[in-house]
Amino acid sequence: MDEREIELEGYVERDGKRVAITAAYASRLSLFVNFNRGAEIADGIEFNRLVLNIADEEVEFCKCRFILERTRRGFMGRLIFMDDVYDFENIIFKKKFVDISTSFHNLPLVLSQKDQIRDSFKNYTSKVVYDLAVHKYFFDDLDRKYANESEIVRQVAQKILIEKEGRKFMHFFDSTLKDLEREIADFDKKDHQSHGFYFRKQVWEFILGSEFLRRTNLKPRGYAGDSQMMSMCYENDYRGNFVFNKLMHKHPLETEAGHAVRNRRVFIPHVLRRVQKEFSGLPRWGFRFMSVACGSAVELQDLFMTADDSEVFHCTLFDQDIRALNEAKEGIEQIAKTREIGSKVDYLNESVRTMLRNPQLFERWGQFHFIYSMGLFDYLTPPVAKKVLKKLYDLLLPGGQLLIGNFHINNPNRYYMEYWMDWVVYYRTEEAFADLLDGIHDAESSIFFDETGIQMFLNVRKSA
Ligand SMILES: C[S@@+](CC[C@H](N)C(=O)[O-])C[C@H]1O[C@@H](n2cnc3c(N)ncnc32)[C@H](O)[C@@H]1O
């Protein structure tokens, strides 16, 4: 049964009389209701309280009103609540009692956090806020002036504005980040957390104006680095209607960290071809490779170029996020169609954490000539990263290779990411990266970098 169809028993009470009901989720703030034993209730009738049986407990809700309406699934109508705002999504599906006062519980604590913020940081923040507001005002003013022009005239005007004043704004923004680095130079982890939180609350309006920054902060899929954010990064173009928003979207994509992400898209197909050449004489679709935490696997667009080369590879794409796998599938089907090539791809919707718990998964998957993972180890603690690395190593065929990516601790955009994007990753030094090889003995390994020096790669070859 779909969890939306869960039905709860209970009663409503009016002037001391109870009427038995069956209720179900209608919306976050309201419930569908049926009055049992044929009770006829008029539209607008109010009850003093509702009691529902949730997970074997009686839970009481405040005064509610019956709204007669034709509903899906044959309910008589809806109950809306008069004295309190409840979150039925949490109450029914997660069995967590949440009303409006619960979400305000932390308010005093969060408000008091500003007392821990250093005065010089407050000054820095208010200067940034003022300067950005003034820039926005100037750009918005010009946007308004040509708002009534035809689309083509507007586009050309915006392009000129972006190339001239926009570029100056990008440099100005860079300078605010240099000041930020100076301001936070002696902070520890706790200081970064409290000051980052404070900072984002002040610049929230600017964050929301940028499609990229909005997504990294709101994390609609629950984590930073989802396939949509990666697509924006690969696309590296302007998005938004207004010039200021376009600039605020593009600036974070132009960072060296952004280049480092784009570099791996080009690098992976190159390595795949090189490793594949080491295994000559394999049948059609004979070279097996896997991308772990594949996201939308855009790099494969540069691998499956012709019918000849795509028929060499049998590819396995593994990700915990079904939306990312669907995007990967659409992308591959699209190129297969336009380039008139075949492809052999398996999709595995699993988490590396379940992979660690369930050894049978490996037996099902078989072994691979090449396994790579980009943008995953940056989120794994050393104990988990070691276990994942060992499992992946065990999945290699003799002579096969592993290629793992991790951002280096010297990422110059680290605090831009943490303060503006709320994007915190697990940075590693070369030593810490090499330490992950702990339980792997019969391997040849090396560590190297892309040209930005941010994207670090660990290459491991299993002896033949
Ligand atoms: C930063 S993206 C990298 C995507 C792709 N490799 C790239 O370089 O563009 C991270 C991906 O890791 C996936 N991921 C995160 N944790 C995972 C886990 N525990 N198991 C499997 N996939 C995971 C996410 O769903 C997301 O698609």
Side-chain angles (χ1 to χ4, degrees), residues 363-407:
E363 285 151 30
R364 280 209 328 255
W365 297 353
Q367 285 186 302
F368 299 86
H369 298 95
F370 184 66
I371 300 175
Y372 66 98
S373 187
M374 300 293 134
L376 172 69
F377 278 65
D378 312 72
Y379 300 88
L380 304 181
T381 59
V384 178
K386 274 182 195 172
K387 286 189 195 138
V388 173
L389 192 68
K390 175 76 172 73
K391 288 277 179 192
L392 297 181
Y393 182 74
D394 291 344
L395 280 181
L396 283 180
L397 286 158
Q401 292 185 43
L402 260 181
L403 186 70
I404 307 294
N406 206 126
F407 266 20

Side-chain angles (χ1 to χ4, degrees), residues 295-317:
S296 46
V298 280
E299 66 280 4
L300 299 185
Q301 317 255 334
D302 298 342
L303 182 72
F304 299 150
M305 298 302 283
T306 65
D308 280 350
D309 56 28
S310 70
E311 289 188 8
V312 168
F313 300 106
H314 177 174
C315 160
T316 299
L317 296 180

Side-chain angles (χ1 to χ4, degrees), residues 223 225-227 230 234 264 291 293-295 318-321 324 350-353 374-376 379:
Y223 61 94
D226 69 29
S227 50
M230 303 315 285
Y234 291 119
R264 61 193 195 214
S291 170
C294 60
F318 170 13
D319 202 288
Q320 54 151 26
D321 184 346
E350 300 280 353
S351 156
V352 288
R353 290 175 198 275
M374 300 293 134
L376 172 69
Y379 300 88

Side-chain angles (χ1 to χ4, degrees), residues 241-268:
N241 285 331
F242 304 108
V243 170
F244 185 77
N245 293 353
K246 286 186 177 186
L247 295 168
M248 289 298 290
H249 169 75
K250 185 77 163 43
H251 187 274
L253 303 174
E254 288 188 0
T255 53
E256 284 169 280
H259 285 305
V261 168
R262 288 186 287 279
N263 280 346
R264 61 193 195 214
R265 173 187 173 152
V266 185
F267 184 58
I268 296 291

Side-chain angles (χ1 to χ4, degrees), residues 113-173:
Q113 278 184 17
K114 66 180 174 306
D115 303 333
Q116 300 156 20
I117 304 303
R118 214 185 251 184
D119 283 342
S120 64
F121 188 85
K122 286 184 182 162
N123 289 339
Y124 163 77
T125 307
S126 72
K127 183 177 170 306
V128 170
V129 170
Y130 179 76
D131 290 354
L132 288 179
V134 171
H135 277 92
K136 179 170 172 0
Y137 171 78
F138 274 76
F139 282 114
D140 285 357
D141 194 43
L142 279 176
D143 269 330
R144 252 192 309 275
K145 285 195 176 120
Y146 54 62
N148 294 329
E149 296 283 351
S150 68
E151 185 55 23
I152 179 79
V153 176
R154 221 167 62 85
Q155 273 180 14
V156 172
Q158 273 204 346
K159 190 162 177 287
I160 296 168
L161 193 55
I162 283 172
E163 278 163 13
K164 293 198 156 166
E165 295 310 316
R167 277 292 130 201
K168 287 188 207 153
F169 171 75
M170 298 293 215
H171 292 309
F172 156 75
F173 201 110

Side-chain angles (χ1 to χ4, degrees), residues 350-364:
E350 300 280 353
S351 156
V352 288
R353 290 175 198 275
T354 35
M355 170 184 97
L356 290 179
R357 284 198 301 269
N358 185 354
Q360 276 94 47
L361 281 179
F362 292 104
E363 285 151 30
R364 280 209 328 255

